[in-house]
Amino acid sequence: RCYAIWYHASSDSANEAKLDSPSATQSIGADEESASFLVKAANMGMAEVDLGRLASEKARNQKVKDFGAMMVSDHTNANNEVKSLASQRNISLPDSVSDEKRKDKEDLAKKSGADFDKAFMEAMVDDHNETIDLFEKASNNVKDNAVKTFVDNTLPKLRHHLDSAKAIQKA
């Protein structure tokens, strides 16, 4: 967790410097809440794609494989929107997942069969609860209308993912 905080702090520091620079007026301005949200959303989104790919390869249960494929597709699309929003606002995003998310994937990759399926779906419920919390806070706090629109348009899909993950867990 310490590295993840440092990781985001370094992106945040780079973004604060950009926000304070005179050239920042050449692109769309970004408030600190929006910049921080986009950095965190990028990290979480990349992690979901990585885990989804892993599930597509390793899952035994077809519903878990299908859920993994949905993670890759839906979160790749959301990641592209995050990248576009960040680029327009001159916000630096991480180019890979935080150490915390990388370790989560490595731990999951060590599992196989039904153990993998169970652990993956638990991770998906936890991750989506965390992501929904991030998006709900952003919906209330970001000042950038385009970022808020992205957040509000993405929340229903995230809630659908959470509901689907819970349903697969119960099956």
Side-chain angles (χ1 to χ4, degrees):
R1 225 190 226 300
C2 291
Y3 182 76
I5 292 169
W6 172 83
Y7 191 79
H8 292 298
S10 67
S11 293
D12 288 346
S13 296
N15 290 324
E16 284 175 21
K18 288 179 182 178
L19 292 171
D20 293 340
S21 77
S23 65
T25 58
Q26 294 173 354
S27 62
I28 299 170
D31 59 280
E32 284 185 48
E33 286 288 336
S34 297
S36 177
F37 164 76
L38 289 170
V39 168
K40 291 173 186 171
N43 182 53
M44 291 174 155
M46 288 187 294
E48 293 304 304
V49 171
D50 286 350
L51 292 178
R53 285 190 182 121
L54 186 64
S56 294
E57 296 166 14
K58 292 194 67 144
R60 181 188 311 175
N61 182 316
Q62 188 60 46
K63 288 181 181 179
V64 176
K65 281 184 179 286
D66 292 345
F67 188 89
M70 181 174 66
M71 292 300 92
V72 172
S73 175
D74 290 353
H75 285 278
T76 296
N77 291 336
N79 291 349
N80 289 338
E81 288 188 60
V82 168
K83 287 178 192 172
S84 176
L85 288 165
S87 174
Q88 293 165 3
R89 286 148 185 79
N90 199 27
I91 296 171
S92 297
L93 294 178
D95 56 3
S96 61
V97 297
S98 65
D99 272 1
E100 177 188 7
K101 296 291 185 189
R102 188 178 353 270
K103 183 180 180 329
D104 291 345
K105 180 184 175 189
E106 289 168 1
D107 292 345
L108 194 56
K110 294 174 187 170
K111 299 183 183 303
S112 61
D115 288 341
F116 173 86
D117 291 357
K118 183 177 188 287
F120 173 75
M121 295 316 302
E122 286 174 2
M124 290 298 95
V125 169
D126 291 346
D127 288 356
H128 281 85
N129 278 323
E130 182 182 350
T131 303
I132 289 168
D133 184 56
L134 172 72
F135 274 66
E136 285 175 343
K137 287 179 181 167
S139 180
N140 294 326
N141 297 326
V142 297
K143 293 167 184 63
D144 185 309
N145 286 334
V147 174
K148 183 169 176 17
T149 297
F150 164 73
V151 168
D152 292 342
N153 289 341
T154 305
L155 265 167
K157 191 165 280 194
L158 293 171
R159 290 185 182 114
H160 170 72
H161 291 171
L162 178 60
D163 292 343
S164 298
K166 287 178 177 178
I168 292 169
Q169 273 188 318
K170 290 178 184 171

